[in-house]
Amino acid sequence: MPIVVNLDVMMAKRKMSLNELSEKVGLTLSNLSILKTGKAKAVRFSTLEAICEVLECQPGDILEFVE
């Protein structure tokens, strides 16, 4: 898959657990886990916005295009 999800990298930089991010963003652990492992087929902009707000980052910090 050419889109790589670097959510785990940003979480590590912010020293935040999946549980903590789940609570702050308002997503279930299972949905965040699917996104974190790169198995998600799509991401809503509202979800991406909430994650970026909590992690204080840009969408490009989380999503990366790799050929």
Side-chain angles (χ1 to χ4, degrees):
M1 183 161 84
I3 301 292
V4 176
V5 180
N6 293 317
L7 183 57
D8 53 344
V9 174
M10 286 308 300
M11 288 171 54
K13 286 182 180 177
R14 302 296 188 254
K15 297 183 170 92
M16 189 173 296
S17 70
L18 198 61
N19 286 332
E20 187 179 354
L21 183 61
S22 172
E23 289 174 12
K24 290 184 177 187
V25 174
L27 289 175
T28 64
L29 278 173
S30 59
N31 284 341
L32 266 181
S33 181
I34 289 168
L35 180 59
K36 183 180 159 190
T37 58
K39 294 179 181 176
K41 301 279 185 205
V43 181
R44 290 187 175 158
F45 282 144
S46 58
T47 301
L48 188 58
E49 179 182 352
I51 291 170
C52 286
E53 275 185 34
V54 170
L55 293 178
E56 298 177 353
C57 66
Q58 295 294 313
D61 296 329
I62 297 172
L63 303 174
E64 178 184 3
F65 178 75
V66 179
E67 291 191 46

